[in-house]
């Protein structure tokens, strides 16, 4: 009797451990099939807070890495005005297509998509006034390489804002500060509670 009770408990425990291992170690990009979840605004990780650190101004050229469905992209593009430009880079073409459909519907023409990996950006050195990633850095297999590459494409004095939220790819602030140091970026401000924060960096 006892061993017949124990077996389902053991199987349940093993299944829970397997799910936990997948949850914490899987590095696949966020699935497009679950895109509807990306449209739900996250507590504390608001566009208002992103604006406060990014400081996007009309006429600037800004880069977003990992735009997902465009929760931040459509907002930031609106701040850049007609002379500004928002380049969006994602490894998944369906995500870029989704943002561009939304941009067309909103009559925004300043968003330029490029399918690429954040570790190898298709831009010249010093191309951007500012760059940002929101809940994307933890999905990139080598976050230091991505931050180093983002630093390369920033102008001297440019700004990089990273937004992180406690999901399964969460990057704690202390870890992010280590990555930034390795990538040659220094922190200049952060905002929000430790489990849902924005942090700003500038080239050292
Ligand atoms: C969780 S979504 C975040 C979307 C959006 N920023 C938001 O907050 O709603 C992460 C995005 O990063 C993209 N991504 C993952 N790995 C990437 C990589 N190596 N290079 C570029 N984009 C990547 C995914 O395809 C996805 O669109």
């Amino acid at each position: 009797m006892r061993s017949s009770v124990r077996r389902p408990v053991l199987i349940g425990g093993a299944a829970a451990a397997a799910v936990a291992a997948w949850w914490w170690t899987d590095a696949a990009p966020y699935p497009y099939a679950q895109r509807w979840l990306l449209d739900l605004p996250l507590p504390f990780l608001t566009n208002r807070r992103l604006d406060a650190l990014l400081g996007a101004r009309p006429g600037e050229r800004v880069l977003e890495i990992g735009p997902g469905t465009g929760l931040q992209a459509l907002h930031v593009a609106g701040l850049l005005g007609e002379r500004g430009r928002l380049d969006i880079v994602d490894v998944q073409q369906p995500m870029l297509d989704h943002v561009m459909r939304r941009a067309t519907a909103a009559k925004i023409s300043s968003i330029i998509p490029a399918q690429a990996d954040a570790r190898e950006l298709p831009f010249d050195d010093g191309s951007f006034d500012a760059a940002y990633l929101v809940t994307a850095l933890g999905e990139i297999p080598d976050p230091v390489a991505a931050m180093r590459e983002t630093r390369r494409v920033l102008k001297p004095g440019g700004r990089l804002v990273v937004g992180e939220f406690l999901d399964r790819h969460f990057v704690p602030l202390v870890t992010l500060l280590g990555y930034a140091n390795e990538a040659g970026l220094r922190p200049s401000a952060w905002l929000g509670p430790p489990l849902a924060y924005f942090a700003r960096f500038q080239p050292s």
Side-chain angles (χ1 to χ4, degrees):
M1 176 69 182
R2 237 186 222 170
S3 66
S4 64
V5 171
R6 234 180 245 162
R7 192 168 297 162
V9 171
L10 284 176
I11 292 170
V19 169
W22 165 79
W23 179 267
W24 291 111
T25 59
D26 176 58
Y30 187 93
Y32 182 67
Q34 290 170 25
R35 60 192 173 278
W36 59 273
L37 270 177
L38 295 178
D39 292 331
L40 305 176
L42 294 171
F44 302 107
L45 226 58
T46 59
N47 282 338
R48 203 166 158 194
R49 287 188 168 180
L50 173 63
D51 292 347
L53 290 197
L54 190 67
R57 291 185 286 271
E60 285 193 323
R61 186 176 180 195
V62 175
L63 169 66
E64 174 170 9
I65 296 171
T69 54
L71 187 63
Q72 295 86 21
L74 296 169
H75 170 74
V76 171
L79 302 175
L80 300 176
E82 283 179 10
R83 287 182 302 108
R85 166 173 167 165
L86 177 70
D87 290 79
I88 57 170
V89 165
D90 205 295
V91 272
Q92 300 190 80
Q93 188 63 44
M95 292 291 194
L96 296 169
D97 293 343
H98 192 102
V99 179
M100 296 315 291
R101 279 195 298 274
R102 291 182 71 184
T104 303
K107 298 192 179 352
I108 294 173
S109 56
S110 55
I111 302 181
I112 311 294
Q115 187 184 11
D117 191 298
R119 294 166 293 176
E120 211 169 330
L121 295 170
F123 306 110
D124 293 337
D125 296 1
S127 298
F128 294 94
D129 298 290
Y132 65 95
L133 306 85
V134 182
T135 65
L137 189 67
E139 287 185 23
I140 300 169
D142 184 347
V144 174
M147 289 185 80
R148 199 176 282 133
E149 187 63 349
T150 308
R151 177 185 186 276
R152 180 186 69 74
V153 302
L154 277 180
K155 293 178 182 172
R159 299 99 63 195
L160 166 63
V161 175
V162 177
E164 280 296 320
F165 185 80
L166 184 67
D167 59 12
R168 69 195 184 90
H169 292 117
F170 179 60
V171 179
L173 180 58
V174 66
T175 307
L176 180 64
L177 293 174
Y179 291 163
N181 187 43
E182 277 190 68
L185 291 154
R186 62 175 171 80
S188 57
W190 53 84
L191 199 57
L195 301 183
Y197 68 88
F198 284 107
R200 185 178 65 209
F201 300 89
Q202 291 181 279
S204 301

